[in-house]
Amino acid sequence: MAAVEAEAAVRELRDTYAAGKTKSFEWRISQLKAIQQILTLHSEEIIGALRSDLKKPEFEAVIHEISVVSASCKLALKELHRWMKPQKVKTTLITFPSSAKIVSEPFGVVLVISAWNFPFALSVDPVIGAIAAGNAVVLKPSENAPATSSLLAKLVGKYMDASAVKVVEGAVPQTTALLDQKWDKILYTGGSAVGRIVLTAAAKHLTPVILELGGKCPAVVDSKINLKVAARRIIAGKWGCNNGQACISPDYLITTKDFVSEVVNILSAELEKFFGEEPLQSKELSSIVNSHHFNRLVKLLDDDEVSGKIVCGGERDKSNLKIAPTIILGASKDSLVMKEEIFGPILPIITVDKIEECFGVINAMEKPLAAYLFTNDKKLEEKFVRSVSAGGMIINDTILHFLEAGIPFGGIGESGMGAYHGKFSFDAFSHKKPLLKRSFAIDISARYPPYTPGKRRFLRAVVQGTLFDILRSLATCW
Ligand code: NAD
């Protein structure tokens, strides 16, 4: 049944795309305006769905989901005309006389598969890019955020052009059936195991893929900084961001042995200020998404390697799927918590003798999606930028790069491939078609056989581009 539905959806979208409907500026604008209307008229329902799926606090729902999508939509509406304009490029003597442009062409029919942790933003934000670029699109939201998934299906069905934009709900069978179809581009957000499945399926049709994956994001805390501000920013990026269930949340901290007790004390004090003495009762903390992930996180906490090393938090409430903000000090690199992406409210702290040793710790692991450094030391900062390869990087804060539309968002290596956000979303869903135009006016015979020594000299001079050589060889060419 899933296969038949997937096939039918793609067929309808292919017909719409082939008719040229999605390519017009007017259609793109109308669909972006439809998204704006969804945001304006249904924000309460969106907040409600996020509360139902994740107990996501309203503030986080507005800032991390609704505002992100709203800003992307506004930007696309404002800039679309400019983005769609072919971009002029200077040509060289090799093609003289000529003009060149880069034409942004939609890929065609694209698939967006999204994850549960930011189930609204991670679904709609890529769709904005796909539509702005003129594609027909199927969105497959995550089954692990069922309220948001069904709300998306309802609202997209009601407000958007159903012949070109569809939501297909479901779990593994539905995603598998979709992946069996031929797509012109796929953007997948989620874990790397499924990322490999997506890439394998795409390979069958040589479909280009953007993979937005995760990994272990380090945050390095140097001494001689404003530790209170640093601690608050770490908390905002970790527990204030879906209770750590965010791909760019700091996964672990690195600091020096001399400084670590100050770091733990200030983090613990600020945590108490934000979430109270009984954080399990706090309305400002998202719950864990489901019992599978709750049990996975509890296993990390109960690992013999870490259970005696909890210096803050550790409480859990199975019936409400809540885990308190938890700090672990001195977890070994062989503990489960240091071996896999945590994706939850647990923060291990690794200590080193000298802060420069952070490079060895970070670079011994896969390239992270984000890397953070808190320092006032310019040299350390420069070395961090130079030595750490990561999807994105922030000095003296966490997660905020996600909100900046002017910079691309994506991973590298195990944390993903490709990027989107702002204009990069438009580019991610556009083929950049080079268009070279020549005139019939000048047709230099040196290009054609027989390739006499004079012609060869001329072509070499053109390639090397020195005017003197060109003129000299021209003299011997004919
Ligand atoms: P998930 O369980 O929601 O799965 C993601 C998508 O994959 C869903 O739509 C699901 O239907 C599909 N899927 C699951 N199993 C499948 C299978 N066997 N075959 C085909 N499709 C399948 O999300 P998740 O994987 O638990 O997400 C968490 C991961 O995502 C973390 O690693 C996190 O770091 C990463 N993530 C990355 C970003 C980013 O922007 N880079 C954002 C959010 C999450």
Side-chain angles (χ1 to χ4, degrees):
M1 186 59 195
V4 176
E5 267 175 47
E7 232 180 281
V10 176
R11 201 174 322 115
E12 187 183 352
L13 261 55
R14 286 232 171 266
D15 289 346
T16 306
Y17 182 74
K21 189 180 192 184
T22 64
K23 291 184 183 174
S24 79
F25 175 75
E26 290 72 22
W27 182 85
R28 303 184 200 195
I29 292 288
S30 73
Q31 297 309 295
L32 293 171
K33 284 191 172 159
I35 293 177
Q36 264 195 333
Q37 214 178 354
I38 289 174
L39 294 171
T40 312
L41 300 177
H42 297 278
S43 61
E44 285 309 317
E45 270 177 88
I46 298 165
I47 292 167
L50 294 167
R51 192 181 307 118
S52 157
D53 286 331
L54 290 150
K55 298 201 180 68
K56 194 170 274 209
E58 181 170 341
F59 179 86
E60 284 186 45
V62 172
I63 294 292
H64 296 155
E65 306 242 22
I66 296 173
S67 303
V68 167
V69 174
S70 171
S72 295
C73 210
K74 245 188 233 160
L75 182 75
L77 280 165
K78 180 166 165 261
E79 299 291 339
L80 187 62
H81 193 260
R82 201 166 59 82
W83 292 349
M84 283 175 70
K85 260 196 193 153
Q87 185 193 330
K88 282 191 185 152
V89 177
K90 274 192 188 152
T91 55
T92 63
L93 270 178
I94 291 172
T95 58
F96 179 82
S98 69
S99 62
K101 288 175 185 169
I102 300 170
V103 178
S104 291
E105 171 181 279
F107 278 102
V109 179
V110 304
L111 173 63
V112 171
I113 304 175
S114 87
W116 52 263
N117 59 337
F118 292 85
F120 186 76
L122 295 178
S123 296
V124 185
D125 215 25
V127 168
I128 290 172
I131 289 169
N135 298 277
V137 50
V138 167
L139 164 66
K140 161 60 190 66
S142 174
E143 66 276 22
N144 289 325
T148 311
S149 175
S150 77
L151 182 64
L152 280 166
K154 183 180 103 180
L155 297 177
V156 168
K158 182 169 175 193
Y159 288 92
M160 302 191 71
D161 177 353
S163 71
V165 185
K166 287 192 184 302
V167 174
V168 173
E169 285 192 273
V172 176
Q174 287 73 14
T175 320
T176 307
L178 287 170
L179 286 171
D180 278 341
Q181 309 302 310
K182 178 176 165 36
W183 301 94
D184 299 310
K185 184 126 196 187
I186 300 173
L187 187 148
Y188 163 79
T189 304
S192 55
V194 178
R196 285 182 171 83
I197 294 174
V198 172
L199 204 52
T200 307
K204 253 189 297 180
H205 301 287
L206 293 178
T207 300
V209 175
I210 294 175
L211 295 180
E212 293 284 341
L213 310 177
K216 290 188 85 61
C217 301
V220 177
V221 183
D222 190 13
S223 52
K224 297 190 197 124
I225 58 169
N226 186 332
L227 185 55
K228 187 171 171 184
V229 171
R232 292 161 76 95
R233 291 176 181 180
I234 290 165
I235 293 170
K238 178 79 177 179
W239 297 283
C241 200
N242 213 22
N243 205 4
Q245 300 166 101
C247 53
I248 47 174
S249 280
D251 186 279
Y252 64 101
L253 295 195
I254 306 177
T255 193
T256 56
K257 287 182 179 135
D258 291 345
F259 198 48
V260 71
S261 50
E262 250 181 276
V263 172
V264 171
N265 289 343
I266 297 211
L267 272 174
S268 307
E270 293 301 309
L271 276 169
E272 194 175 315
K273 272 191 217 159
F274 293 166
F275 303 114
E277 281 177 20
E278 290 183 58
L280 292 180
Q281 308 305 322
S282 172
K283 297 220 170 354
E284 319 293 353
L285 274 178
S286 293
S287 61
I288 306 306
V289 64
N290 55 32
S291 52
H292 163 73
H293 281 281
F294 182 87
N295 294 335
R296 178 184 65 79
L297 290 162
V298 165
K299 197 169 149 207
L300 299 186
L301 285 176
D302 291 346
D303 178 10
D304 287 344
E305 288 280 340
V306 308
S307 55
K309 295 172 179 168
I310 296 173
V311 290
C312 173
E315 304 88 354
R316 67 273 322 241
D317 170 0
K318 194 169 182 163
S319 57
N320 285 312
L321 297 177
K322 290 258 184 175
I323 297 180
T326 299
I327 301 174
I328 293 167
L329 184 56
S332 81
K333 71 175 184 346
D334 298 321
S335 57
L336 289 175
V337 88
M338 283 312 294
K339 271 193 177 154
E340 58 182 70
E341 180 185 4
I342 295 168
F343 215 60
I346 306 166
L347 185 71
I349 303 183
I350 306 295
T351 53
V352 287
D353 289 323
K354 289 205 168 94
I355 202 69
E356 286 75 14
E357 290 167 37
C358 70
F359 300 113
V361 178
I362 297 169
N363 291 334
M365 296 190 219
E366 296 294 343
K367 294 178 181 181
L369 182 60
Y372 307 115
L373 169 66
F374 291 85
T375 191
N376 278 317
D377 180 344
K378 193 85 191 125
K379 282 216 169 86
L380 184 69
E381 178 185 328
E382 281 167 10
K383 189 163 179 202
F384 193 76
V385 176
R386 213 174 41 242
S387 314
V388 175
S389 180
M393 201 167 255
I394 306 185
I395 309 296
N396 296 336
D397 214 319
T398 62
I399 72 158
L400 288 182
H401 62 310
F402 183 81
L403 302 176
E404 275 299 337
I407 47 183
F409 181 80
I412 176 169
E414 286 268 327
S415 59
M417 57 178 78
Y420 72 120
H421 282 195
K423 165 79 158 47
F424 300 96
S425 293
F426 175 85
D427 291 339
F429 284 103
S430 304
H431 166 57
K432 300 293 165 186
K433 182 164 74 181
L435 172 63
L436 185 76
K437 184 173 177 183
R438 302 204 67 220
S439 102
F440 289 107
I442 299 172
D443 197 42
I444 295 170
S445 64
R447 177 182 176 190
Y448 306 113
Y451 303 118
T452 60
K455 285 181 180 178
R456 283 210 295 274
R457 266 199 303 281
F458 172 72
L459 285 176
R460 207 176 305 128
V462 169
V463 170
Q464 285 165 358
T466 61
L467 190 60
F468 175 73
D469 285 345
I470 294 168
L471 292 174
R472 197 178 54 179
S473 60
L474 259 181
T476 59
C477 194
W478 284 278

